[in-house]
Amino acid sequence: CVELSIPGRMYGLHDISMFNIVRCLELTLDAHPEGFASYGELERALEDTIARYVGLMARGCDTCDLAHRMNSPTPLLSCLVSDCLARGLDVTQGGARYNPSGVQGVGTANLADSLVTLRRGVLGDDGRGGHVTPLASWERLKGALGRDWSGEGDELLRQTILNRMPKYGNDVDEVDLLGRHFLEFYAHEVERYENVRGGHFQPGSYTVSAHVPLGAACGATPDGRHAHEQLADGGLSPMTGRDAHGPTASLMSVSKLNNALESNGSLLNVKFSPSALAGEAGLAKLMGYVRAFSRLGIQHIQFNVVDRATLVDAQEHPERHRDLVVRVAGYSALFVELSRTLQDDIINRTEHVL
C-alpha cells in the first residue's frame, strides 16, 4: 500500500479518482490553437483548466460515494471502524471518525517536461528573465503534435526535444520546479472540496497502473511523447528512460516537490540492476540510498531489483518465470500475469547500475 491511513478509524476512499494532469495541458492547448504570447499566459490558462476539472472531479466522486451509500453499505466493516456503532451510521454514511477521499494526480513528470519545452523551446523563455533561441513556433509544434510526430521533419524535432530540453528526474531546477508548482496547485485545488461523508478530498500522487490507460487517453505531448503512450509510472517517477543522471539525481528532483501536500500518499519507483547491489558493497550502497531518501523528506519509494534480460526472457518464456514478482506502482504482482503493456513498462524503466 502507498496511501496514508489510520487503521480502524478511517474510511478513506483513497483511489476514488485518478486525475490526469497531462490531459489538462492537452485541453488547454486545444482551446488556444493560436498559442500564447508568454509563459505566464500559458500557466494561468492551465491553472484555470486544472481548477475547472478538479471541481468536476469532486462532483463525480460525490455521485459515486452516494451510490455506494445507497447500493453497497458495508455493515461488517462498519462494526470494526471507530465511531460507526456510536453514531449508528455505516461507513458509507460518514460513520467513521475520519472520512477522506483520495485523488491521485497523474503525470507530473510529463507535464513538467512538456512545460519546459513550451517555455524554452517555443516561447524562448529561459525561466530566469532571459531569452533563448526557440526550437519551433507554436504552429510548427502544434502541427507535429497533431500528426503524432509523423510528418516531414517531425522526428528530428522530437529527438531535439528529447535530447536538448531538460527533463524532470535529473536534478535540474528549471524543470523540477515546474513540476513542483503545478503539483502544489493541483493539491490546493483538491483540498478545497468536502465530500458527502463530511471529510475532505485529499491529494495524492501514485498511479497504481493508471499511467497506462491515462496515457492512452492523451494525444502526443510537447515532451516528445507519442500519442497514447503511457505516462510516467509511479506518480513522482521520471518518464521512462529520461532519468539519465542516476538514481540520486532522481531523488533530488522528487525532493524539490512539496511532498507534504500529498496527504493521500505518493510514490517513486526505482529499478536497480542486481549486479549494482551485489555483496556487502552493494548492500552498503542501498543503505546509503535509503538514508538519503529519508533525509530528503520523500514519502514513499519502492524498488525492483531485476535486469532487463530476465524480464524480456520472462515475457517471451513465461513458463520459466512463474515465480517472478515485480513491483508495479503501489502493488506487487507476478510478472507473467501482467498485461503486455505493463510488462513493457517495467522492462523499459531505467535500470540503474549505481
Side-chain angles (χ1 to χ4, degrees), residues 21-36 41-50 53 111 115 118 138 142 182:
I21 300 176
V22 177
R23 179 65 176 145
C24 288
L25 174 63
E26 188 174 35
L27 291 168
T28 301
L29 296 180
D30 289 346
H32 297 82
E34 74 287 357
F36 296 88
E41 288 184 12
L42 167 60
E43 188 173 88
R44 288 187 292 274
L46 178 54
E47 288 173 348
D48 289 344
T49 304
I50 292 173
Y53 280 95
L111 179 65
L115 288 174
L118 294 172
W138 278 106
K142 288 282 286 183
F182 276 98

Side-chain angles (χ1 to χ4, degrees), residues 169 243 245-252 268 270 272 289 352-354:
D243 44 342
H245 294 281
T248 304
S250 295
L251 277 186
M252 293 302 297
L268 168 64
V270 180
F272 285 121
Y289 187 77
H352 295 293
V353 296
L354 288 178

Side-chain angles (χ1 to χ4, degrees), residues 3 11-19 54 56-69 92 99-105 186 190 194-197 200-204 206 208 210 264:
E3 62 269 16
Y11 182 61
L13 295 178
H14 295 289
D15 299 322
I16 195 169
S17 181
M18 297 286 179
F19 189 84
V54 166
L56 292 172
M57 174 277 301
R59 287 172 55 192
C61 289
D62 281 345
T63 300
C64 180
D65 220 338
L66 289 170
H68 287 175
R69 178 183 301 181
T92 60
N99 291 282
S101 292
V103 183
Q104 311 314 326
Y186 152 80
V190 169
E194 184 175 304
N195 64 35
V196 293
R197 288 173 287 114
H200 281 84
F201 282 88
Q202 287 185 309
Y206 59 91
V208 192
N264 193 59

